[in-house]
Amino acid sequence: MASLSAVTPVGVLHVVATPIGNLGDISARAVEVLKTCSVLACEDTRSARHLLDPIGASPRMIAYHEHNEAEAANGIADLVAAGESVAIISEAGTPAISDPGFRVVRECRKRGLRVSPVPGACAAVTALSASGLPSDGFLYLGFLQPKSSARVRAFQQYQDFEYTLIFYESTHRIEKFLDDLLEVMGPDRVVCVARELTKLYETIFTGRLVDVIAQIKTRSTKGEFVVLIAKKDFTL
Ligand code: SAM
């Protein structure tokens, strides 16, 4: 008798985390899934090759990014429903975390299709693990709005939050971000600024906001940043 899976191929959407800078951080399971999936949904097919070539993976690739996410989600869910093994990756880290992914996962879940995570790097959790800030609870808020007024409002809204806050920030705005933070939360707030995690110029500063700003200003602010803010009464 034929097995059920031979009659009805069982599709799956693998949500695959990839390194945030150091290619050595790719997991053995991520490699296996990328080598065996029939379709890979990725933000940029050219940069995906930097990940795929060294591991000898060559799946069929389709584009899935913030500009086509809504329509592409349906098409990807159709492939999973037809029995394909589809993997989704983002440019770096965990898909759906300040990256495309949420819509296709929601669509697959709505249709009762199988979604399987392949965990790995996420900049927020990587920074928290090495920050020295309380990690028993945290609120991840990703990128704030680019305008200073919106940032200040967000800081005011969360300044009494009782767990660690985690933000992402770009190289262009990091100094303004920290200046606005200083204005709202004051010089003694304990923060961690984690730059270029897992990369050659990784730097992680934890301390009073005023001291961390002073250290940051003596260095290059090029690169990718995670900013963590400890609860109000926390001291090192
Ligand atoms: N999906 C990713 C994750 O799981 O962390 C996040 C993608 S988001 C588009 C990119 C932002 O994540 C960067 O602007 C930066 O704030 C943060 N980030 C990513 N890689 C980083 C790294 N190596 N060091 C510090 N921050 C990083």
Side-chain angles (χ1 to χ4, degrees):
M1 198 173 99
S3 74
L4 183 64
S5 61
V7 177
T8 317
V10 179
V12 56
L13 177 72
H14 301 279
V15 184
V16 183
T18 60
I20 55 169
N22 187 326
L23 282 183
D25 292 336
I26 193 158
S27 74
R29 201 150 77 83
V31 170
E32 188 196 324
V33 168
L34 293 173
K35 285 173 95 160
T36 56
C37 66
S38 48
V39 179
L40 175 67
C42 55
E43 288 190 75
D44 182 301
T45 52
R46 267 201 313 188
S47 64
R49 290 252 59 96
H50 296 301
L51 184 73
L52 299 174
D53 288 347
I55 61 171
S58 50
R60 177 160 77 89
M61 290 195 264
I62 56 176
Y64 177 77
H65 44 69
E66 61 175 329
H67 306 295
N68 75 350
E69 205 182 345
E71 319 87 81
N74 271 316
I76 294 169
D78 288 345
L79 291 171
V80 177
E84 302 273 2
S85 168
V86 182
I88 174 172
I89 60 170
S90 62
E91 280 295 283
T94 302
I97 307 300
S98 294
D99 260 342
F102 155 71
R103 284 192 172 79
V104 66
V105 171
R106 179 181 62 181
E107 185 58 32
C108 288
R109 293 241 165 254
K110 255 176 28 191
R111 300 191 197 183
L113 300 169
R114 189 171 156 222
V115 178
S116 175
V118 181
C122 171
V125 174
T126 304
L128 180 63
S129 72
S131 67
L133 269 51
S135 52
D136 50 338
F138 62 90
L139 178 63
Y140 169 71
L141 288 163
F143 291 98
L144 290 178
Q145 296 295 316
K147 275 197 174 162
S148 177
S149 53
R151 217 167 23 231
V152 165
R153 270 200 308 281
F155 292 153
Q156 286 165 340
Q157 181 180 353
Y158 292 106
Q159 62 183 330
D160 295 326
F161 191 69
E162 55 195 307
Y163 296 100
T164 298
L165 300 167
I166 307 181
F167 299 94
Y168 284 169
E169 195 45 278
S170 74
T171 192
H172 313 292
R173 278 192 290 271
I174 186 67
E175 293 196 50
K176 288 189 196 122
F177 180 107
L178 295 172
D179 289 343
D180 288 343
L181 186 61
L182 182 67
E183 192 187 307
V184 176
M185 301 203 193
D188 296 327
R189 192 69 171 234
V190 174
V191 301
C192 170
V193 177
R195 168 181 171 248
E196 294 288 88
L197 290 163
T198 76
K199 302 187 204 176
L200 186 59
Y201 295 107
E202 176 182 272
T203 43
I204 304 173
F205 296 121
T206 292
R208 293 163 65 235
L209 179 55
V210 69
D211 298 331
V212 170
I213 290 176
Q215 281 180 298
I216 301 269
K217 289 198 167 161
T218 64
R219 312 222 174 186
S220 160
T221 51
K222 283 214 179 81
E224 301 190 281
F225 290 86
V226 183
V227 181
L228 304 94
I229 305 171
K231 61 184 169 181
K232 199 154 67 177
D233 55 1
F234 178 73
T235 50
L236 283 165

